[in-house]
Amino acid sequence: MALTVLVGAAVGILLLTGQPVAARWTATVFALGVTAVRTIAMVREIFHGKWGIDLLAVTAIVATVLVGEYIASLIIVLMLTGGEALETFAQGRASRELRSLLDRSPRIAHREAKGVGTVAEDIPVADVEIGDVLLIKPSEILPVDGELLTEAGIFDESALTGESLPVEHVRGDTLLSGSLNGEAAVHLRATATSANSQYSQIVALVQEAAASRAPTVRLADRYAVPFTLIALILAGLAWFISGEPHRFAEVLVVATPCPLLIAAPVAFLAGTSRAAHAGIIIKNAGTLEQLARVKTAVFDKTGTLTHGHPTLERIQIAQSAPAGLTADRLLQLAASAEQYSSHVLASSVMNSARAKGLALLPATDAREHATDGVTAQCQGHTVVLGKAAFVAAATTGFTRTILASGQLGIYLGVDGQFAGALMMSDPLRENAPATVAALRALGVQETLLLTGDATSTAEHIGREVGISTVHAECLPADKVTAVAAITQRPVMMVGDGINDAPVLAAADVGIAMGAKGATAASESADVVIMIDDLSRTSLAVEIGQYTLKIAHTSIWTGILLSLGLMVAAAFGLIPAVAGALLQELVDLATILNALRALGDGHKRSPVAPR
């Protein structure tokens, strides 16, 4: 663009000094040079199967040169180079929040080799190992995930959660990398390496999002062929009817719709940026279009509709239990086996045991049976625990426990005999009913609950949330089958556990509640919500709908304005130079409209984030 401006200035000086011939040749040679470069690039794209709008620009430049409108040819060149400059600016504005994540990545950590209070040495973040004690100075970004060793600290977690208010943590709390320390130095013990910490996972997801290209953008590319044909036919008719070759050039000058190619990418970058700022990482821009059109929402239960922190309500010893087995012993054996499980219920069982002062026993030959349960050898006892069907198949004397509404049961067998059950209760998220209602208001027609829990528990949660269809006691394969059978598509699946990974990948849009760190669910999902807030799912749909609306509006704004100018030019109402200037204004208006996707679109979200 800078070179075009310089050439334009030179042409202006030549005209002012009374050298019109030199001005004409300068503009003509430069315009034809740009045309040659564009033609080569255009031919290469055609060989790759991409027909673009450049054909119109090249034809318009050549036509204006041939009819002597060299000022108009310069303006067209300026429009093309200026459009690219505007696109660069717009993309920079739209992706500001995305780039800020990358720019904020910590690179240095202060490690205290012998523990708290010793001299700290600066090391690369990549060299931090689990268990290292790190000093976090005031206003520094936490380099890795860790456990707070200081009595208390205040942290700005807005880069991770979008929450503007500082958050106070106390000793023992988990801190996430990417958080900004307050005004006092603190110490933490690293619980993850840099590569496996929260912030690195966010950065990786953002880089994947920035490199993607949306289906709507490809749709804009496909508009190029019919639009080019219409423009050439209209220009040819104007020339044929009027008998004036100038009309051909004048029509093509206003038929160079840079906004057709710029509007959709800018809108989708803006939408992705807005989502990232709200703690919603959208892995690829095409997901925004799918989110906008979601017709069915499917939910997992534990950790998604519920908090995922079940509490122990009571312990029931079975009549067939080994002699002398007490409730505390049953809980101790269950917790000891669960320490090798990654299921969300495992930590709840272990925490219940610790709360009673029960030590976890060492276990051997521990095995996790995905979604069913675990088996382990604990102090000479064979322990099996998990779902009713899993435990029933491995024990004798099994009887299903009657569960109260909202309860879930973890069944336990010891040495081949059914020993009893742990009655757990996982409270519903407070905003779960409002989130489902908000999704319906956004056009989601069907809602389903797919869970591996007992039917009574699942139906109770379904009624409380307002979900229309409930499928309980599902294995991962059952969930995939259920999603595949849904006719109202696209389908959005929301989950958080390892067992949700297959169905998240199978859904049209998989959303992982990834606030607690990277999981298999996060890897398989299209969207990762970095905040423990279910309402962000409806916000993601809202952002998708608003972004798609802005993208289509911008595309059609460019098309309709250009068509209107072409018709006016065909009747000789717009001279070539004036038409080129008007088209530049169309470009600017369309880009600015696309940037509206950075905004909320509504005064209030359907469900206000917590």
Side-chain angles (χ1 to χ4, degrees):
M1 181 180 178
L3 181 58
T4 306
V5 172
L6 288 175
V7 172
V11 170
I13 292 172
L14 289 172
L15 288 174
L16 290 174
T17 56
Q19 303 179 62
V21 176
R24 176 174 181 173
W25 279 106
T26 300
T28 300
V29 171
F30 177 72
L32 291 177
V34 172
T35 301
V37 173
R38 289 280 176 173
T39 301
I40 293 172
M42 180 181 65
V43 171
R44 288 176 179 172
E45 289 185 346
I46 290 174
F47 277 117
H48 286 87
K50 180 182 177 182
W51 293 78
I53 290 294
D54 277 354
L55 177 60
L56 275 179
V58 168
T59 307
I61 293 172
V62 173
T64 50
V65 168
L66 291 177
V67 298
E69 294 283 358
Y70 60 92
I71 298 297
S73 66
L74 264 186
I75 294 176
I76 296 172
V77 173
L78 179 64
M79 179 176 60
L80 291 176
T81 56
E84 291 172 352
L86 283 171
E87 180 180 10
T88 301
F89 164 76
Q91 289 178 348
R93 170 72 175 87
S95 59
R96 181 177 60 193
E97 285 82 6
L98 300 185
R99 293 199 322 274
S100 68
L101 289 172
L102 305 179
D103 296 339
R104 292 178 75 257
S105 297
R107 293 175 174 79
I108 297 295
H110 315 297
R111 181 172 63 188
E112 298 187 348
K114 297 181 180 180
V116 175
T118 60
V119 178
E121 59 173 341
D122 289 348
I123 61 172
V125 171
D127 292 346
V128 174
E129 298 178 354
I130 296 176
D132 285 350
V133 175
L134 304 179
L135 168 66
I136 310 299
K137 298 179 181 179
S139 301
E140 278 193 339
I141 296 173
L142 275 61
V144 296
D145 296 348
E147 175 188 349
L148 182 62
L149 301 178
T150 307
E151 288 297 328
I154 296 177
F155 303 89
D156 178 358
E157 299 179 347
S158 59
L160 301 175
T161 66
E163 174 57 58
S164 58
L165 297 176
V167 179
E168 183 176 358
H169 288 284
V170 297
R171 182 196 296 270
D173 283 358
T174 298
L175 303 177
L176 299 179
S177 61
S179 303
L180 181 66
N181 187 24
E183 298 179 355
V186 298
H187 292 87
L188 65 83
R189 178 179 290 108
T191 57
T193 62
S194 173
N196 294 322
S197 289
Q198 182 84 336
Y199 200 72
S200 294
Q201 297 297 324
I202 296 176
V203 169
L205 294 176
V206 168
Q207 288 174 325
E208 185 177 351
S212 68
R213 195 159 185 254
T216 294
V217 177
R218 293 191 291 270
L219 183 63
D221 289 342
R222 290 198 296 272
Y223 287 145
V225 174
F227 188 87
T228 300
L229 291 175
I230 291 172
L232 291 174
I233 291 172
L234 189 57
L237 287 174
W239 182 4
F240 176 77
I241 294 172
S242 68
E244 299 176 3
H246 285 77
R247 294 286 178 90
F248 184 83
E250 289 167 356
V251 172
L252 293 187
V253 163
V254 295
T256 313
C258 289
L260 189 65
L261 300 180
I262 296 173
V266 170
F268 275 84
L269 276 172
T272 304
S273 174
R274 178 191 166 199
H277 192 61
I280 304 167
I281 305 300
I282 298 176
K283 291 186 179 182
N284 59 79
T287 298
L288 277 169
E289 183 174 5
Q290 291 283 62
L291 280 169
R293 296 172 174 166
V294 164
K295 290 293 181 282
T296 301
V298 183
F299 296 89
D300 177 47
K301 185 185 77 68
T302 305
T304 303
L305 293 176
T306 65
H307 285 285
H309 301 292
T311 55
L312 179 64
E313 292 193 345
R314 65 187 179 91
I315 302 172
Q316 180 171 309
I317 303 295
Q319 294 181 351
S320 59
L325 184 67
T326 64
D328 282 353
R329 180 61 172 173
L330 186 70
L331 177 59
Q332 184 182 41
L333 290 172
S336 300
E338 287 280 38
Q339 65 185 311
Y340 300 97
S341 172
S342 59
H343 195 275
V344 291
L345 293 177
S347 59
S348 297
V349 175
M350 291 186 289
N351 289 337
S352 298
R354 293 190 184 103
K356 288 178 171 288
L358 303 174
L360 299 185
L361 306 173
T364 59
D365 196 25
R367 299 180 184 180
E368 181 164 17
H369 304 265
T371 76
D372 283 327
V374 297
T375 57
Q377 296 291 326
C378 299
Q379 286 190 341
H381 296 288
T382 300
V383 179
V384 54
L385 76 158
K387 292 181 180 179
F390 178 67
V391 175
T395 61
T396 58
F398 178 84
T399 55
R400 185 182 289 270
T401 302
I402 298 176
L403 299 173
S405 182
Q407 281 188 335
L408 57 92
I410 299 177
Y411 296 89
L412 190 74
V414 178
D415 296 330
Q417 293 179 276
F418 177 57
L422 307 179
M423 305 301 169
M424 312 287 289
S425 177
D426 187 8
L428 188 70
R429 290 180 185 267
E430 295 78 4
N431 60 3
T435 298
V436 173
L439 287 170
R440 292 188 187 279
L442 289 167
V444 175
Q445 299 172 0
E446 298 290 337
T447 53
L448 279 82
L449 172 59
L450 299 180
T451 178
D453 286 339
T455 301
S456 59
T457 302
E459 290 180 346
H460 170 76
I461 293 295
R463 285 192 300 270
E464 286 196 346
V465 176
I467 290 179
S468 54
T469 305
V470 175
H471 294 280
E473 301 183 14
C474 295
L475 297 173
D478 299 329
K479 293 182 178 182
V480 172
T481 301
V483 167
I486 295 172
T487 56
Q488 294 283 355
R489 308 194 80 91
V491 175
M492 175 182 78
M493 171 70 197
V494 187
D496 79 321
I498 289 176
N499 62 313
D500 296 323
V503 68
L504 286 173
D508 299 309
V509 180
I511 299 183
M513 302 289 291
K516 301 170 188 176
T519 64
S522 299
E523 294 295 327
S524 302
D526 303 296
V527 179
V528 181
I529 296 178
M530 307 309 302
I531 308 167
D532 194 22
D533 182 1
L534 183 65
S535 70
R536 300 295 167 119
T537 57
S538 61
L539 180 59
V541 173
E542 179 194 334
I543 290 174
Q545 290 182 353
Y546 185 63
T547 301
L548 191 63
K549 175 184 176 182
I550 293 297
H552 280 298
T553 300
S554 299
I555 289 172
W556 282 106
T557 296
I559 289 176
L560 294 176
L561 287 175
S562 295
L563 286 173
L565 291 175
M566 279 191 286
V567 172
F571 284 97
L573 301 177
I574 303 178
V577 174
L581 292 173
L582 285 172
Q583 186 57 248
E584 189 76 11
L585 293 177
V586 172
D587 291 352
L588 180 60
T590 309
I591 292 172
L592 292 176
N593 183 71
L595 280 173
R596 289 170 52 216
L598 280 168
D600 290 343
H602 302 280
K603 292 183 179 179
R604 297 179 62 184
S605 297
V607 180
R610 294 186 301 175

mmCIF file of all heavy atoms in Angstrom, residues 89-106:
data_model
loop_
_atom_site.group_PDB
_atom_site.id
_atom_site.type_symbol
_atom_site.label_atom_id
_atom_site.label_comp_id
_atom_site.label_asym_id
_atom_site.label_seq_id
_atom_site.Cartn_x
_atom_site.Cartn_y
_atom_site.Cartn_z
ATOM 1 N N PHE A 89 -5.284 -4.793 9.814
ATOM 2 C CA PHE A 89 -5.658 -4.031 11.006
ATOM 3 C C PHE A 89 -6.836 -4.665 11.710
ATOM 4 O O PHE A 89 -6.855 -4.835 12.943
ATOM 5 C CB PHE A 89 -6.016 -2.589 10.625
ATOM 6 C CG PHE A 89 -6.758 -1.860 11.703
ATOM 7 C CD1 PHE A 89 -6.092 -1.385 12.827
ATOM 8 C CD2 PHE A 89 -8.129 -1.676 11.623
ATOM 9 C CE1 PHE A 89 -6.780 -0.726 13.827
ATOM 10 C CE2 PHE A 89 -8.827 -1.019 12.627
ATOM 11 C CZ PHE A 89 -8.142 -0.533 13.730
ATOM 12 N N ALA A 90 -7.857 -5.045 10.949
ATOM 13 C CA ALA A 90 -9.062 -5.616 11.535
ATOM 14 C C ALA A 90 -8.767 -6.936 12.225
ATOM 15 O O ALA A 90 -9.262 -7.221 13.319
ATOM 16 C CB ALA A 90 -10.131 -5.810 10.458
ATOM 17 N N GLN A 91 -7.939 -7.765 11.591
ATOM 18 C CA GLN A 91 -7.585 -9.037 12.204
ATOM 19 C C GLN A 91 -6.798 -8.810 13.496
ATOM 20 O O GLN A 91 -6.971 -9.519 14.476
ATOM 21 C CB GLN A 91 -6.781 -9.884 11.229
ATOM 22 C CG GLN A 91 -7.616 -10.426 10.081
ATOM 23 C CD GLN A 91 -6.786 -11.222 9.091
ATOM 24 O OE1 GLN A 91 -5.563 -11.192 9.126
ATOM 25 N NE2 GLN A 91 -7.456 -11.919 8.202
ATOM 26 N N GLY A 92 -5.937 -7.806 13.486
ATOM 27 C CA GLY A 92 -5.190 -7.492 14.698
ATOM 28 C C GLY A 92 -6.104 -7.032 15.808
ATOM 29 O O GLY A 92 -5.962 -7.435 16.963
ATOM 30 N N ARG A 93 -7.100 -6.225 15.474
ATOM 31 C CA ARG A 93 -8.062 -5.749 16.471
ATOM 32 C C ARG A 93 -8.910 -6.898 16.983
ATOM 33 O O ARG A 93 -9.145 -7.027 18.190
ATOM 34 C CB ARG A 93 -8.963 -4.686 15.822
ATOM 35 C CG ARG A 93 -10.175 -4.263 16.658
ATOM 36 C CD ARG A 93 -9.751 -3.415 17.836
ATOM 37 N NE ARG A 93 -10.917 -2.912 18.550
ATOM 38 C CZ ARG A 93 -11.539 -3.567 19.516
ATOM 39 N NH1 ARG A 93 -11.107 -4.761 19.875
ATOM 40 N NH2 ARG A 93 -12.570 -3.024 20.138
ATOM 41 N N ALA A 94 -9.347 -7.749 16.083
ATOM 42 C CA ALA A 94 -10.244 -8.832 16.472
ATOM 43 C C ALA A 94 -9.544 -9.903 17.284
ATOM 44 O O ALA A 94 -10.138 -10.522 18.157
ATOM 45 C CB ALA A 94 -10.867 -9.460 15.229
ATOM 46 N N SER A 95 -8.254 -10.161 17.006
ATOM 47 C CA SER A 95 -7.549 -11.250 17.689
ATOM 48 C C SER A 95 -6.694 -10.758 18.846
ATOM 49 O O SER A 95 -5.797 -11.450 19.299
ATOM 50 C CB SER A 95 -6.661 -11.999 16.687
ATOM 51 O OG SER A 95 -5.724 -11.110 16.113
ATOM 52 N N ARG A 96 -6.989 -9.564 19.355
ATOM 53 C CA ARG A 96 -6.171 -8.989 20.418
ATOM 54 C C ARG A 96 -6.137 -9.886 21.652
ATOM 55 O O ARG A 96 -5.065 -10.152 22.218
ATOM 56 C CB ARG A 96 -6.725 -7.612 20.792
ATOM 57 C CG ARG A 96 -5.932 -6.914 21.892
ATOM 58 C CD ARG A 96 -6.505 -5.525 22.147
ATOM 59 N NE ARG A 96 -7.912 -5.640 22.555
ATOM 60 C CZ ARG A 96 -8.737 -4.610 22.605
ATOM 61 N NH1 ARG A 96 -8.310 -3.413 22.228
ATOM 62 N NH2 ARG A 96 -9.993 -4.773 22.994
ATOM 63 N N GLU A 97 -7.316 -10.374 22.084
ATOM 64 C CA GLU A 97 -7.341 -11.208 23.280
ATOM 65 C C GLU A 97 -6.627 -12.533 23.047
ATOM 66 O O GLU A 97 -5.993 -13.081 23.940
ATOM 67 C CB GLU A 97 -8.786 -11.463 23.718
ATOM 68 C CG GLU A 97 -9.451 -10.278 24.376
ATOM 69 C CD GLU A 97 -10.000 -9.288 23.371
ATOM 70 O OE1 GLU A 97 -9.950 -9.600 22.160
ATOM 71 O OE2 GLU A 97 -10.459 -8.210 23.775
ATOM 72 N N LEU A 98 -6.725 -13.060 21.808
ATOM 73 C CA LEU A 98 -6.045 -14.321 21.521
ATOM 74 C C LEU A 98 -4.537 -14.151 21.601
ATOM 75 O O LEU A 98 -3.828 -14.947 22.203
ATOM 76 C CB LEU A 98 -6.440 -14.820 20.133
ATOM 77 C CG LEU A 98 -7.922 -15.099 19.886
ATOM 78 C CD1 LEU A 98 -8.121 -15.687 18.506
ATOM 79 C CD2 LEU A 98 -8.466 -16.033 20.936
ATOM 80 N N ARG A 99 -4.028 -13.075 20.992
ATOM 81 C CA ARG A 99 -2.589 -12.854 20.988
ATOM 82 C C ARG A 99 -2.068 -12.526 22.389
ATOM 83 O O ARG A 99 -0.946 -12.872 22.739
ATOM 84 C CB ARG A 99 -2.232 -11.707 20.040
ATOM 85 C CG ARG A 99 -2.488 -11.985 18.577
ATOM 86 C CD ARG A 99 -1.708 -11.022 17.681
ATOM 87 N NE ARG A 99 -1.660 -9.696 18.243
ATOM 88 C CZ ARG A 99 -2.596 -8.758 18.073
ATOM 89 N NH1 ARG A 99 -3.668 -9.040 17.349
ATOM 90 N NH2 ARG A 99 -2.470 -7.566 18.621
ATOM 91 N N SER A 100 -2.904 -11.869 23.192
ATOM 92 C CA SER A 100 -2.453 -11.495 24.529
ATOM 93 C C SER A 100 -2.159 -12.726 25.375
ATOM 94 O O SER A 100 -1.282 -12.704 26.243
ATOM 95 C CB SER A 100 -3.508 -10.627 25.220
ATOM 96 O OG SER A 100 -4.675 -11.377 25.503
ATOM 97 N N LEU A 101 -2.880 -13.821 25.116
ATOM 98 C CA LEU A 101 -2.583 -15.061 25.830
ATOM 99 C C LEU A 101 -1.173 -15.547 25.526
ATOM 100 O O LEU A 101 -0.426 -15.966 26.411
ATOM 101 C CB LEU A 101 -3.593 -16.140 25.434
ATOM 102 C CG LEU A 101 -5.025 -15.978 25.957
ATOM 103 C CD1 LEU A 101 -5.920 -17.008 25.312
ATOM 104 C CD2 LEU A 101 -5.071 -16.091 27.457
ATOM 105 N N LEU A 102 -0.800 -15.481 24.245
ATOM 106 C CA LEU A 102 0.525 -15.930 23.849
ATOM 107 C C LEU A 102 1.601 -15.007 24.402
ATOM 108 O O LEU A 102 2.642 -15.450 24.873
ATOM 109 C CB LEU A 102 0.617 -15.987 22.321
ATOM 110 C CG LEU A 102 -0.449 -16.839 21.618
ATOM 111 C CD1 LEU A 102 -0.236 -16.772 20.108
ATOM 112 C CD2 LEU A 102 -0.391 -18.265 22.088
ATOM 113 N N ASP A 103 1.329 -13.698 24.353
ATOM 114 C CA ASP A 103 2.320 -12.723 24.801
ATOM 115 C C ASP A 103 2.576 -12.809 26.300
ATOM 116 O O ASP A 103 3.659 -12.465 26.770
ATOM 117 C CB ASP A 103 1.865 -11.301 24.450
ATOM 118 C CG ASP A 103 1.771 -11.082 22.945
ATOM 119 O OD1 ASP A 103 2.422 -11.853 22.208
ATOM 120 O OD2 ASP A 103 1.047 -10.166 22.518
ATOM 121 N N ARG A 104 1.579 -13.275 27.059
ATOM 122 C CA ARG A 104 1.707 -13.310 28.514
ATOM 123 C C ARG A 104 2.352 -14.598 29.017
ATOM 124 O O ARG A 104 2.536 -14.764 30.225
ATOM 125 C CB ARG A 104 0.334 -13.171 29.179
ATOM 126 C CG ARG A 104 -0.297 -11.805 29.002
ATOM 127 C CD ARG A 104 -1.681 -11.752 29.635
ATOM 128 N NE ARG A 104 -1.646 -11.667 31.081
ATOM 129 C CZ ARG A 104 -1.879 -12.665 31.916
ATOM 130 N NH1 ARG A 104 -2.147 -13.865 31.426
ATOM 131 N NH2 ARG A 104 -1.835 -12.496 33.214
ATOM 132 N N SER A 105 2.710 -15.509 28.152
ATOM 133 C CA SER A 105 3.253 -16.792 28.590
ATOM 134 C C SER A 105 4.523 -16.586 29.423
ATOM 135 O O SER A 105 5.484 -15.989 28.946
ATOM 136 C CB SER A 105 3.585 -17.676 27.377
ATOM 137 O OG SER A 105 2.424 -17.970 26.654
ATOM 138 N N PRO A 106 4.539 -17.061 30.664
ATOM 139 C CA PRO A 106 5.748 -16.914 31.496
ATOM 140 C C PRO A 106 6.911 -17.698 30.898
ATOM 141 O O PRO A 106 6.725 -18.783 30.348
ATOM 142 C CB PRO A 106 5.315 -17.506 32.841
ATOM 143 C CG PRO A 106 3.817 -17.553 32.798
ATOM 144 C CD PRO A 106 3.449 -17.741 31.362
#
